[in-house]
Amino acid sequence: MEQLKTIGRELAMGSQGGFGQSKEFLDLVKSIGEARSKAEEDRIVLHEIETLKRRISEPDIPKRKMKEYIIRLVYFEMLGHDASFGYIHAVKMTHDDTLLLKRTGYLAVTLFLNDDHDLIILIVNTIQKDLRSDNYLVVCAALNAVCRLINEETIPAVLPQVVDLLSHSKEAVRKKAIMALHRFYQKSPSSVSHLVSNFRKRLCDNDPGVMGATLCPLFDLITIEVHSYKDLVVSFVSILKQVAERRLPKSYDYHQMPAPFIQIRLLKILALLGSGDKQASENMYTVVGDILRKCDSSSNIGNAVLYECVCCVSSIYPNPKLLEVAADVISRFLKSDSHNLKYMGIDSLGRLIKMSPEIAEQHQLAVIDCLEDPDDTLKRKTFELLYKMTKSSNVEVIVDRMIDYMISINDNHYKTYIASRCVELAEQFAPSNHWFILTMNKVFEHAGDLVNVKVAHNLMRLIAEGFGEDDDAADSQLRSSAVESYLHIIGEPKLPSVFLQVICWVLGEYGTADGKYSASYITGKLCDVAEACSNDETVKAYAVTAIMKIYAFEIAAGRKVDMLHECQSLVEELSASHSTDLQQRAYELQAVICLDAHAVENIIPSDASCEDVEIDKNLSFLNSYVQQSLENGAQPYIPETGRSGMSDTINFRSQDQPEASMHGLRFEAYELPKPPVPSRMHTASLEPSTELVPVSEPAYSRDTHQVATVPSVSDAGSSELKLRLDGVQKKWGRPAYSSSAPSTSSSTSQNTVNGVTQVDAAGSVISKAHKTNDSRKPRVEISPEKQKLAASLFGGSSQTEKRPTTASHKVTKAGSHAAGKKSQAPKSAVVSNQVTVEKTIHQPPPDLLDLGEPAVPSATPSVDPFKQLEGLLDPTQVSSTANHGAVGATESPDIIALYGKTPASGHSSSAAISLPTNGDGVNFTAGLLDATISTTHAGTTLPTQSIKGLNAKDSLEKDALVRQMGVTPSSQNPNLFRDLLS
Amino acid sequence: MIHFVLLISRQGKVRLTKWYSPYTQKERTKVLRELSGVILTRGPKLCNFVEWRGYKVVYKRYASLYFCMCIDHEDNELEILEIIHHYVEILDRYFGSVCELDLIFNFHKAYYILDELLIAGELQESSKKTVARLIAAQDSLVEAAKEQRSSISNIIAQATK
């Protein structure tokens, strides 16, 4: 066996002709490998790029040489340098006839180009040709490129051929064609929406690889439109059952698990199909339960399947027995030493607590452990879990923890994220206004610039509106506590701008409201702020306006206003500011101060931030002024479109403009030339935009047109354009695309699905929010002892249930918020819960009805999937076809036999690795090592190499080969020789 | 969906990159710098996942080489770990006790193998045998082309048979 392996390796090496590249290239790779710094590496690469630039443009380069140049380009690009000068050569190489070069060309272009690159258009033709090739390897190479390079515009060019390939005789081609269609679907769902039935058909393919690949697009389709696939539940369940019972060929086994990757995909699909659907879920219970019980929890892949099972169980209609088993799995994960499993445990716990909140309590210590783990990833995952289980009883502890963590990290991305979570939780569950204000202060203080500006506006609105109740005393208490805390915090250096804006606004609005602080004290503070932020105009503007408000309130209250000296100098400075906004504010302030109390009260009424400002859009109050001016002989106003001379320019531009928007590609032959009709030309060029937006194209194209030409195109003009557009459809439009169903319908149906699933969650959350409440629980000090922390996190739930309602004004809001959050659906969906529920009750979709008789799959094609499946899963038949394919496909049976034998022995090469090493082997290799590698390094490599005799020998051979090539591998890095799978 | 695959050596050298989602060259460099900073500094006992810019990066170390894959938030991390291992096993079988050096000098081979395993960011084939067969078929064609040039390596191969 070992001997066979060695020969195989040599064969593999041999086939590459000693790495297959020239010595020059090997030297290059080596010198880059030995570069001591990034700078040195860059220098070498840049120099090499210069040489290559020169050489690659020489005429008549031999193809073999060119291939190597392309590989070099790939290498440079991989190292992060720009190799764009050679892209065109890679493109040319795809045109070559020999597969060897073509394959290199395709590899290079797929690595170089994104699907929006200009050169793609030069490859499309080649791809079209190659997709029709007799050689299936050429087709495969082309399909690889299709997946990477074809974009929305070029899909039509290759789509028919890819569809044809779905029934190719080679399973590898069918598989790639499926994946290519999947990619098309991702890029432009409408372009392949009429082909969706092909995926269903391929599910019954008699090659398990093709079937497995088909699950990818089906998963996407089901995610979007679950109802039309309910009929497949039974098929998926039976496939999963057969996979789990090892009815697939042995070659799909992975570490003794039967086709685990296929199992995982199936479980994901079942989770979608069973979500909120009792009937569908009942079909799944047995098979999911079986897998949960039988699955090997000692291997990583086994745990991957188990985790997917837990996800599935927590998504489908709950079954107490399965939930119990899933909880067992979770506790096994959490108790494990492996951080990976702990992480998965925390994640699955977060999923399962939605179903059975009580299971969190038995794992409280494990959760605390994870929270205090030095591993950031684990910690963040745990915060995610805590976020999901936050209630008003434990919100203080959780948010405090989150804020502490937020302060301790530097990663801005995550800081933003966790800050928004803190805000969200605080808004929903705040036990008291005071706590809420303090929490928001902390968040703003430490992550102010990262927080969405909306949050700041929300905070201001909240302070202004109070908590929506008519409890004025509570509101004013909230405001004065806010003012107090802000005055306390305002002296701190380096406060974020957003926070300062909030502070200024609140101080201006409510600083003197409760009479505790004098106007001069508050304005003094505001002046300080404005001075401290001399660079931040927004803050300055907020501060000046706040000062103006305070003085206005004073004047309105009939008190005499003494403007502070610093205030005056600030206003003077600002009235000479470069910013017109600041200038205006300063002048306004000066003007307001000079007015009498009555006028000021009208301009700036006290505590009126929540009042609506009425705006007279017609400017009717100007009428008398206009009238007067007209009488005095002024010219009447003529709208821009009504002025003479304008219509010409409109026409001129609108004729000119469409050319720019003409970026759609046509792949059919051009039609016969006809005498040009100007008006038709003009409208025809609008066509591409209609093609891109099939749903609402007339409105869209008209809008863009209008905007793009002249802002004041009259109504008449635009309707004219619209009329012309009708002609376009007849002349140029593609019926296949315009008739395809718009994607909006599917999205609405998804909303209804969301609605159904949310109802439970929303309902329960609201009721829970009613039960639990925020009666002031004595604030739990976070003691170092985990027990206490655990009690505050988990234990609170049972106690809070009995507490009387005091602050119920928060409840309804919290409830609806929670619903929105838990279901993670657009808010509109939540709002329209009622509507969607009604809808689903009164007129359930036909698919749901069909599920009453699951035995009758309504929408299946003429072929019976089950019969096909049986054929597919018959091991003997499949393996025989597989063998047949192998023999037909290749000309070097030795390698095949070699490859074939290893899996037959049970598993992968890990079998070989686990072979016990005999002492002789070690000695032998040790001796050899001494001879070839300098003694110092022998010492370092020896312990790792002697783990397995074969390994050391292999690496020696490689070393010898490298030397033979004249490349001495870097002696500093003996690791290069280490077997990756050791 | 897998957004990209990276192979980075312990010294931070790039051994292979494959991008399934569009990234400009600038973004790629940034991603590489950021991620190698995060991943290479992580301790051995920590979990093999890193949350990064709203995605998750699953990595695994083999000898001196880190295999990293970036995935969506809802993907199964353990499964990705196994996909990485699956890839390494296929490489191992192809090269015969694969080591970093193999990948350094034969990165294009590693790309071809990856293309048979993953396509458009999804696992296309979970059978090692099938992947091996396809790669062998491609190699044999390459070999047929080379035979005419009667390379020395073929003679060596004959001799060792």
Side-chain angles (χ1 to χ4, degrees):
Chain A
M1 185 66 219
E2 278 179 34
Q3 208 183 354
L4 264 177
K5 233 184 138 200
T6 322
I7 294 172
R9 205 190 58 77
E10 261 160 26
L11 260 179
M13 282 295 190
S15 71
Q16 296 143 30
F19 292 141
Q21 278 95 39
S22 71
K23 177 166 179 309
E24 197 185 2
F25 182 59
L26 296 181
D27 277 337
L28 169 69
V29 173
K30 192 189 133 238
S31 65
I32 288 172
E34 280 175 353
R36 284 173 194 283
S37 65
K38 183 78 182 138
E40 194 184 337
E41 180 188 306
D42 287 350
R43 202 166 40 75
I44 299 172
V45 173
L46 288 177
H47 175 252
E48 203 58 34
I49 284 181
E50 281 310 308
T51 337
L52 201 54
K53 240 185 220 172
R54 215 174 42 242
R55 279 207 224 156
I56 208 164
S57 47
E58 281 169 10
D60 299 331
I61 305 170
K63 281 178 178 173
R64 200 176 146 75
K65 198 93 190 144
M66 195 51 150
K67 174 175 166 253
E68 198 194 297
Y69 289 160
I70 300 287
I71 301 257
R72 275 193 220 192
L73 288 176
V74 171
Y75 189 65
F76 297 146
E77 186 98 353
M78 188 175 89
L79 292 176
H81 294 269
D82 178 40
S84 52
F85 66 90
Y87 289 176
I88 186 69
H89 298 283
V91 170
K92 272 192 216 154
M93 187 152 274
T94 59
H95 305 339
D96 202 282
D97 288 331
T98 54
L99 176 65
L100 178 63
L101 296 178
K102 195 182 268 301
R103 201 163 67 123
T104 313
Y106 274 132
L107 176 70
V109 289
T110 52
L111 291 169
F112 289 154
L113 308 180
N114 279 331
D115 66 2
D116 54 353
H117 200 281
D118 295 340
L119 289 175
I120 301 283
I121 197 67
L122 297 179
I123 309 175
V124 172
N125 199 15
T126 320
I127 289 181
Q128 280 181 322
K129 205 178 80 211
D130 287 344
L131 288 177
R132 281 190 292 259
S133 166
D134 294 334
N135 186 339
Y136 79 102
L137 292 172
V138 173
V139 180
C140 281
L143 280 172
N144 274 344
V146 163
C147 288
R148 180 84 182 99
L149 300 179
I150 296 297
N151 56 26
E152 211 179 333
E153 282 170 5
T154 36
I155 285 175
V158 293
L159 189 62
Q161 285 150 30
V162 173
V163 173
D164 287 345
L165 291 175
L166 285 176
S167 45
H168 197 271
S169 60
K170 284 282 179 196
E171 63 279 354
V173 174
R174 292 201 299 272
K175 193 171 61 195
K176 282 183 201 279
I178 284 281
M179 299 306 274
L181 273 187
H182 180 210
R183 193 64 165 173
F184 293 165
Y185 179 77
Q186 286 173 335
K187 286 189 176 157
S188 151
S190 58
S191 66
V192 289
S193 54
H194 57 295
L195 299 167
V196 161
S197 63
N198 282 298
F199 294 132
R200 282 165 175 269
K201 254 183 249 163
R202 280 303 130 208
L203 190 62
C204 313
D205 197 285
N206 48 18
D207 181 77
V210 181
M211 184 271 289
T214 314
L215 297 177
C216 291
L218 280 175
F219 176 78
D220 274 12
L221 288 167
I222 293 172
T223 315
I224 290 167
E225 198 183 0
V226 86
H227 285 299
S228 13
Y229 294 90
K230 292 280 186 188
D231 58 305
L232 286 178
V233 170
V234 190
S235 323
F236 286 129
V237 167
S238 95
I239 297 175
L240 182 58
K241 190 157 169 274
Q242 297 180 63
V243 173
E245 285 170 357
R246 300 182 179 273
R247 308 252 307 260
L248 283 193
K250 265 268 182 284
S251 68
Y252 282 87
D253 280 10
Y254 179 84
H255 293 204
Q256 275 108 12
M257 286 280 295
F261 297 108
I262 293 178
Q263 284 193 44
I264 288 173
R265 269 186 205 156
L266 283 165
L267 283 166
K268 275 190 176 151
I269 289 176
L270 289 186
L272 288 179
L273 286 171
S275 164
D277 182 342
K278 194 175 176 193
Q279 213 141 22
S281 302
E282 272 165 2
N283 287 318
M284 306 169 189
Y285 290 151
T286 334
V287 65
V288 176
D290 279 351
I291 296 175
L292 269 173
R293 260 186 301 279
K294 274 195 275 179
C295 205
D296 162 35
S297 63
S298 61
S299 69
N300 191 41
I301 187 68
N303 286 323
V305 176
L306 280 176
Y307 166 77
E308 210 55 63
C309 284
V310 174
C311 293
C312 182
V313 168
S314 60
S315 163
I316 61 178
Y317 191 87
N319 171 293
K321 249 191 194 159
L322 283 183
L323 285 175
E324 214 172 281
V325 190
D328 286 347
V329 172
I330 291 177
S331 70
R332 233 182 300 152
F333 281 173
L334 285 174
K335 278 176 195 148
S336 150
D337 284 336
S338 149
H339 271 68
N340 287 350
L341 289 187
K342 276 188 190 163
Y343 177 94
M344 300 315 269
I346 294 281
D347 183 272
S348 32
L349 192 59
R351 290 169 189 270
L352 211 62
I353 51 169
K354 272 185 266 167
M355 296 276 185
S356 46
E358 69 284 350
I359 72 155
E361 279 175 39
Q362 47 177 311
H363 299 302
Q364 34 185 287
L365 283 183
V367 172
I368 304 288
D369 274 341
C370 292
L371 194 61
E372 278 163 9
D373 199 277
D375 188 347
D376 253 8
T377 311
L378 197 52
K379 207 177 246 180
R380 289 176 187 189
K381 197 81 203 173
T382 316
F383 276 124
E384 193 123 320
L385 171 69
L386 292 183
Y387 167 78
K388 282 182 192 158
M389 44 186 262
T390 306
K391 296 175 280 221
S392 43
S393 60
N394 56 13
V395 64
E396 293 174 62
V397 190
I398 290 177
V399 171
D400 277 356
R401 280 262 163 172
M402 283 185 173
I403 290 177
D404 285 347
Y405 180 67
M406 184 185 83
I407 295 171
S408 74
I409 56 172
N410 291 322
D411 172 1
N412 274 354
H413 187 272
Y414 194 71
K415 218 171 190 172
T416 315
Y417 177 76
I418 199 164
S420 68
R421 292 242 141 148
C422 287
V423 172
E424 198 182 314
L425 289 180
E427 280 179 354
Q428 278 174 41
F429 299 109
S432 72
N433 301 339
H434 182 69
W435 179 86
F436 178 74
I437 301 271
L438 283 183
T439 308
M440 296 307 280
N441 288 354
K442 270 196 222 160
V443 173
F444 275 115
E445 209 178 324
H446 297 286
D449 290 329
L450 303 171
V451 178
N452 194 333
V453 189
K454 265 192 200 153
V455 175
H457 295 166
N458 273 345
L459 178 62
M460 289 189 245
R461 204 175 59 207
L462 186 93
I463 292 173
E465 290 176 351
F467 281 102
E469 284 269 310
D470 293 330
D471 189 355
D472 283 343
D475 286 353
S476 60
Q477 196 202 340
L478 165 76
R479 287 165 194 162
S480 44
S481 75
V483 168
E484 194 135 338
S485 67
Y486 290 153
L487 285 174
H488 183 71
I489 233 169
I490 205 169
E492 305 219 354
K494 284 190 192 165
L495 288 175
S497 160
V498 182
F499 190 34
L500 283 173
Q501 291 165 24
V502 175
I503 292 179
C504 287
W505 188 85
V506 171
L507 288 184
E509 200 72 27
Y510 304 109
T512 53
D514 60 353
K516 206 169 161 187
Y517 298 100
S518 72
S520 62
Y521 179 71
I522 303 274
T523 47
K525 287 281 185 192
L526 287 169
C527 285
D528 291 346
V529 171
E531 261 163 55
C533 313
S534 48
N535 296 325
D536 192 333
E537 287 182 2
T538 324
V539 173
K540 268 190 188 166
Y542 268 89
V544 173
T545 308
I547 291 171
M548 173 164 77
K549 275 192 247 174
I550 295 214
Y551 283 138
F553 298 154
E554 288 295 293
I555 293 169
R559 277 180 288 246
K560 198 175 169 294
V561 170
D562 287 324
M563 210 166 175
L564 285 182
H565 176 68
E566 54 200 285
C567 213
Q568 249 154 1
S569 59
L570 175 73
V571 170
E572 270 160 33
E573 183 204 319
L574 292 186
S575 52
S577 164
H578 287 299
S579 153
T580 46
D581 177 52
L582 287 180
Q583 254 187 39
Q584 167 141 4
R585 282 170 201 263
Y587 283 123
E588 277 174 8
L589 170 59
Q590 281 167 334
V592 164
I593 281 178
C594 303
L595 295 171
D596 64 273
H598 180 69
V600 169
E601 203 174 357
N602 272 330
I603 300 171
I604 305 178
S606 168
D607 192 15
S609 58
C610 304
E611 314 285 315
D612 288 330
V613 179
E614 276 176 34
I615 296 171
D616 185 356
K617 276 187 188 162
N618 294 326
L619 306 178
S620 54
F621 58 90
L622 285 176
N623 282 350
S624 60
Y625 174 76
V626 170
Q627 196 59 40
Q628 205 181 345
S629 302
L630 284 177
E631 276 162 17
N632 290 344
Q635 290 274 328
Y637 175 73
I638 306 167
E640 211 172 349
T641 47
R643 291 170 216 171
S644 60
M646 281 302 285
S647 54
D648 287 349
T649 45
I650 295 171
N651 278 339
F652 171 70
R653 288 204 204 164
S654 57
Q655 289 226 330
D656 200 32
Q657 185 267 342
E659 242 116 294
S661 75
M662 179 79 162
H663 59 281
L665 292 171
R666 288 168 47 86
F667 299 99
E668 311 90 57
Y670 285 101
E671 284 166 49
L672 287 174
K674 282 180 187 165
V677 185
S679 69
R680 208 176 264 173
M681 261 274 283
H682 157 77
T683 48
S685 43
L686 276 168
E687 185 258 346
S689 57
T690 62
E691 189 192 315
L692 288 173
V693 189
V695 190
S696 59
E697 85 273 29
Y700 171 71
S701 51
R702 185 156 42 93
D703 282 354
T704 48
H705 199 86
Q706 217 169 348
V707 173
T709 50
V710 183
S712 61
V713 178
S714 67
D715 280 345
S718 67
S719 68
E720 207 176 57
L721 288 172
K722 192 172 153 197
L723 278 175
R724 285 179 187 170
L725 206 89
D726 295 339
V728 174
Q729 291 280 352
K730 280 175 211 149
K731 178 82 179 121
W732 292 82
R734 253 174 253 160
Y737 292 100
S738 53
S739 67
S740 69
S743 56
T744 40
S745 64
S746 60
S747 71
T748 47
S749 69
Q750 195 212 356
N751 275 351
T752 53
V753 179
N754 277 342
V756 179
T757 53
Q758 282 153 20
V759 182
D760 297 1
S764 66
V765 172
I766 289 169
S767 61
K768 205 200 289 165
H770 271 292
K771 270 188 234 155
T772 60
N773 56 69
D774 11 333
S775 74
R776 299 283 287 122
K777 179 182 161 192
R779 231 187 125 158
V780 187
E781 286 295 322
I782 306 164
S783 71
E785 292 157 61
K786 289 172 192 167
Q787 288 286 3
K788 236 180 180 174
L789 175 60
S792 57
L793 283 178
F794 300 89
S797 62
S798 48
Q799 299 159 17
T800 44
E801 308 259 344
K802 292 156 205 147
R803 291 216 185 97
T805 319
T806 51
S808 59
H809 60 269
K810 191 87 178 70
V811 169
T812 44
K813 205 175 161 196
S816 65
H817 264 283
K821 177 204 79 190
K822 289 266 152 73
S823 55
Q824 285 168 350
K827 277 225 166 112
S828 58
V830 182
V831 175
S832 60
N833 253 349
Q834 300 254 307
V835 185
T836 47
V837 174
E838 269 172 36
K839 224 197 227 164
T840 41
I841 288 170
H842 291 312
Q843 27 168 256
D847 284 333
L848 270 173
L849 277 179
D850 282 351
L851 276 163
E853 307 93 20
V856 192
S858 58
T860 27
S862 54
V863 202
D864 183 0
F866 304 111
K867 271 193 186 146
Q868 292 248 338
L869 273 171
E870 250 150 45
L872 135 75
L873 295 162
D874 184 351
T876 52
Q877 190 194 329
V878 172
S879 61
S880 72
T881 52
N883 282 341
H884 177 72
V887 174
T890 56
E891 294 158 353
S892 55
D894 277 37
I895 297 178
I896 310 273
L898 182 70
Y899 282 138
K901 261 190 194 148
T902 335
S905 74
H907 16 192
S908 63
S909 50
S910 61
I913 291 164
S914 61
L915 281 175
T917 331
N918 54 354
D920 286 357
V922 177
N923 284 342
F924 169 69
T925 49
L928 269 178
L929 275 169
D930 273 331
T932 46
I933 308 176
S934 61
T935 41
T936 42
H937 294 114
T940 53
T941 45
L942 187 56
T944 53
Q945 308 246 322
S946 55
I947 295 170
K948 45 186 219 181
L950 176 72
N951 196 5
K953 202 169 137 232
D954 272 352
S955 50
L956 281 178
E957 275 163 15
K958 272 175 202 165
D959 184 56
L961 183 62
V962 171
R963 277 159 198 283
Q964 196 186 322
M965 300 302 303
V967 185
T968 333
S970 156
S971 53
Q972 301 132 12
N973 191 5
N975 276 330
L976 290 181
F977 290 113
R978 268 178 59 186
D979 196 318
L980 293 179
L981 270 177
S982 57
Chain B
M1 180 195 164
I2 298 169
H3 294 281
F4 52 80
V5 178
L6 307 177
L7 267 64
I8 312 174
S9 83
R10 210 177 47 171
Q11 289 82 23
K13 294 209 162 121
V14 183
R15 298 302 184 206
L16 186 144
T17 57
K18 179 93 188 173
W19 310 86
Y20 293 103
S21 298
Y23 290 86
T24 63
Q25 190 70 14
K26 224 179 188 173
E27 286 166 335
R28 293 178 183 188
T29 321
K30 196 162 166 246
V31 167
L32 274 166
R33 201 178 42 233
E34 251 177 63
L35 279 181
S36 53
V38 174
I39 289 171
L40 300 180
T41 50
R42 278 174 72 83
K45 285 202 77 185
L46 306 183
C47 48
N48 294 57
F49 324 126
V50 177
E51 296 193 3
W52 173 80
R53 291 205 213 158
Y55 297 106
K56 292 187 290 196
V57 177
V58 177
Y59 70 93
K60 191 160 186 198
R61 185 178 162 175
Y62 290 91
S64 54
L65 206 55
Y66 285 83
F67 288 68
C68 317
M69 290 188 182
C70 173
I71 52 171
D72 283 326
H73 213 264
E74 64 274 14
D75 285 331
N76 181 340
E77 294 91 340
L78 293 178
E79 184 197 4
I80 302 296
L81 268 186
E82 288 313 300
I83 291 179
I84 292 178
H85 192 72
H86 187 51
Y87 180 44
V88 176
E89 280 184 356
I90 292 172
L91 287 175
D92 192 64
R93 190 180 296 177
Y94 181 77
F95 288 106
S97 317
V98 66
C99 66
E100 198 180 333
L101 203 67
D102 287 319
L103 299 183
I104 295 175
F105 285 106
N106 293 298
F107 58 89
H108 56 299
K109 299 268 169 190
Y111 275 123
Y112 289 135
I113 296 176
L114 191 61
D115 276 345
E116 292 308 322
L117 188 69
L118 300 177
I119 194 166
E122 304 278 358
L123 181 72
Q124 61 164 323
E125 184 55 69
S126 58
S127 156
K128 274 189 275 269
K129 205 170 169 181
T130 314
V131 173
R133 209 163 51 209
L134 267 170
I135 294 289
Q138 290 170 0
D139 277 353
S140 70
L141 264 181
V142 172
E143 208 145 329
K146 276 188 183 168
E147 240 159 48
Q148 291 146 356
R149 297 189 204 107
S150 75
S151 66
I152 300 172
S153 58
N154 261 333
I155 301 168
I156 297 172
Q158 293 290 318
T160 43
K161 248 180 218 168

